[in-house]
């Protein structure tokens, strides 16, 4: 069982940074979902992330940093458009895939020549990262703090529910309340001439095209190019992921006794159990993972979801829900 820290003071963050320095794991809030953090330069600590998550090794991890000044040490090259994206959207729900430096070892990148980097927009995460950098740390590797293939946690309680049995006494869970965005960061491959979205999120195609003045690439994969998509393992892109215990059905008429998630404007069908009624697409993203968990708490067999339509964040929501619906 890990220790649970709420109302994190500067002292608590320094304690947590020290835990990372000595090789323990620290789960922490970000604006997207909670992360399970380890010192990104410590292979033993990073291998515990895989153990605790039950994640197959070889999947690359995102390195979190506090500020752009810590980026350079992790990468060997960055295109102009990626600098523009970093300046505009960091701290924020965006991960950039860049050519790695020597510091980004195979145990972080899954043996690929690229590394994923993100500056999260959450005061506790940034406080933890600053405290860790102050101790000489280079960055915190953190996947979402859930067991492999399951629903990402958006509260500290959900982290405890997912990983409590797998964390040890010296690991920590920082409680920063509910994540404000609720779906994982947009992952953008910045190793080609144009940005390419590997995982949709709250930083949308429209936003990327507007600030860079470039078209987001949708060109097919090419075998010859070392950095093309097919060489990149994105576990969040596996078909069955983000799945609760209940079976998820999309845009179908719910059966009696099943859970139901839809925008507030859609009435609850007779006999269904309303799990969430978000007022906007943003709120939909924020509450959808906790609503899926709520369905599992009620031991529901099935959860029916009326998906939000349209572009922007709705694309990320439908991406995750389509994978939830593939089951485990
Ligand atoms: O919002 C987020 O991104 C959260 C918070 C904690 O920051 N993290 C997160 O991590 O979602 P994870 O490991 O659950 O998903 C990250 C995805 C994985 O699918 C991984 O394969 C991909 O990012 N990834 C990491 N490094 C990569 C790289 N060098 N190339 C391609 N994909 C990479
Ligand atoms: Mg994940």
């Amino acid at each position: 069982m890990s220790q649970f820290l709420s109302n994190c003071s500067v002292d608590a963050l320094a304690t947590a940074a020290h835990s990372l320095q000595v090789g323990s794991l620290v789960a922490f809030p970000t604006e997207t979902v909670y992360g399970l953090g380890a010192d990104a330069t410590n292979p033993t600590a990073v291998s515990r992330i895989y153990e605790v998550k039950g994640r197959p090794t070889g999947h690359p991890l995102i390195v979190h940093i506090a500020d752009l000044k810590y980026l350079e040490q992790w990468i060997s090259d960055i295109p102009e458009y990626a600098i523009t994206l970093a300046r505009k959207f960091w701290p924020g729900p965006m991960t950039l895939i860049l050519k790695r430096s020597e510091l980004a070892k195979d145990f972080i990148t899954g043996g690929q020549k690229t590394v994923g980097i993100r500056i999260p927009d959450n005061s506790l995460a940034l406080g933890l990262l600053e405290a860790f950098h102050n101790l000489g740390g280079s960055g915190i590797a953190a996947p979402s703090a859930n067991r492999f293939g399951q629903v990402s946690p958006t509260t500290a309680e959900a982290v405890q529910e997912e990983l409590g049995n797998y964390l040890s006494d010296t690991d920590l869970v920082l409680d920063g309340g509910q994540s404000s965005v609720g779906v994982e960061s947009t992952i953008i491959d910045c190793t080609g001439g144009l940005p390419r979205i590997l995982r949709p999120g709250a930083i949308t195609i429209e936003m990327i095209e507007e600030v860079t003045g470039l078209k987001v690439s949708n060109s097919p994969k090419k075998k010859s190019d070392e950095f093309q998509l097919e060489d990149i393992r994105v576990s969040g892109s596996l078909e069955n992921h983000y799945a609760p215990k209940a079976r998820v059905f999309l845009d179908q008429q719910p059966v009696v006794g099943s859970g139901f998630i839809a925008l507030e404007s859609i009435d609850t069908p007779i006999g269904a159990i309303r799990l969430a009624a978000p007022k906007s697409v943003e709120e939909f993203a924020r509450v959808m993972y906790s609503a899926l968990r709520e369905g599992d708490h009620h031991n529901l067999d099935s959860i029916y979801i009326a998906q939000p339509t349209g572009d922007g964040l709705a694309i990320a929501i439908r991406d995750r829900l389509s994978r939830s619906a593939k089951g485990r």
Side-chain angles (χ1 to χ4, degrees):
M1 212 21 128
S2 57
Q3 295 174 57
F4 204 85
L5 294 184
S6 38
N7 300 322
C8 298
S9 61
V10 173
D11 279 355
L13 291 177
T15 305
H18 181 258
S19 296
L20 288 169
Q21 194 189 29
V22 298
S24 294
L25 302 184
V26 176
F28 61 96
T30 83
E31 80 281 32
T32 57
V33 301
Y34 275 65
L36 177 63
D39 176 353
T41 62
N42 180 336
T44 318
V46 169
S47 71
R48 282 205 55 235
I49 289 183
Y50 288 91
E51 263 171 55
V52 167
K53 272 188 71 89
R55 187 186 203 178
T57 50
H59 282 289
L61 296 170
I62 296 171
V63 176
H64 297 70
I65 56 175
D67 190 277
L68 267 177
K69 68 182 178 217
Y70 303 107
L71 176 64
E72 203 175 328
Q73 59 185 330
W74 286 103
I75 62 170
S76 58
D77 189 26
I78 182 165
E80 202 54 44
Y81 71 78
I83 297 174
T84 306
L85 289 170
R87 291 222 171 100
K88 178 74 184 176
F89 296 123
W90 276 345
M94 175 183 79
T95 297
L96 299 183
I97 305 296
L98 297 160
K99 292 180 185 172
R100 70 171 174 179
S101 71
E102 284 292 305
L103 188 60
K105 298 281 192 277
D106 286 352
F107 63 82
I108 288 297
T109 72
Q112 301 174 96
K113 302 212 165 11
T114 58
V115 61
I117 308 278
R118 176 162 116 80
I119 304 180
D121 185 16
N122 174 284
S123 56
L124 269 191
L126 289 170
L128 174 68
L129 282 160
E130 258 322 332
F132 187 57
H133 289 307
N134 288 340
L135 293 176
S138 298
I140 302 177
S144 52
N146 51 280
R147 294 283 286 169
F148 183 66
Q150 301 188 20
V151 177
S152 300
T154 51
T155 62
E157 291 76 19
V159 173
Q160 202 69 25
E161 182 181 299
E162 282 283 326
L163 302 180
N165 291 337
Y166 304 91
L167 293 169
S168 72
D169 293 346
T170 48
D171 299 326
L172 291 173
V173 179
L174 305 185
D175 184 356
Q178 192 189 28
S179 294
S180 58
V181 174
V183 290
E184 301 80 358
S185 60
T186 306
I187 301 182
I188 309 171
D189 175 11
C190 299
T191 59
L194 294 173
R196 178 198 304 273
I197 294 183
L198 301 182
R199 180 177 72 182
I203 302 298
T204 63
I205 299 176
E206 295 79 9
M207 292 160 81
I208 297 167
E209 293 189 338
E210 193 186 324
V211 306
T212 61
L214 298 172
K215 269 275 173 232
V216 167
S217 164
N218 56 4
S219 65
K221 318 164 210 172
K222 266 188 282 151
K223 257 218 144 62
S224 55
D225 186 336
E226 186 180 9
F227 293 103
Q228 288 295 322
L229 186 57
E230 65 193 320
D231 293 326
I232 297 176
R233 283 184 291 275
V234 184
S235 62
S237 71
L238 293 177
E239 287 224 320
N240 50 348
H241 228 77
Y242 315 107
K245 293 192 185 70
R247 277 202 66 189
V248 172
F249 296 91
L250 303 178
D251 305 323
Q252 293 176 42
Q253 188 62 25
V255 299
V256 171
S258 61
F260 184 64
I261 301 171
L263 286 165
E264 190 191 39
S265 53
I266 301 172
D267 290 338
T268 311
I270 291 165
I273 300 156
R274 190 74 178 228
L275 296 171
K279 293 186 179 53
S280 62
V281 171
E282 286 70 26
E283 191 184 344
F284 200 114
R286 188 154 54 238
V287 303
M288 74 177 180
Y289 286 149
S290 50
L292 291 174
R293 284 178 189 282
E294 186 67 16
D296 281 348
H297 293 157
H298 287 97
N299 285 321
L300 300 181
D301 291 331
S302 54
I303 299 174
Y304 285 72
I305 305 176
Q307 301 188 93
T309 55
D311 295 340
L313 187 56
I315 294 176
I317 293 173
R318 293 195 300 270
D319 170 72
R320 305 308 191 278
L321 291 179
S322 67
R323 298 176 207 284
S324 298
K326 298 265 170 34
R328 294 196 171 174

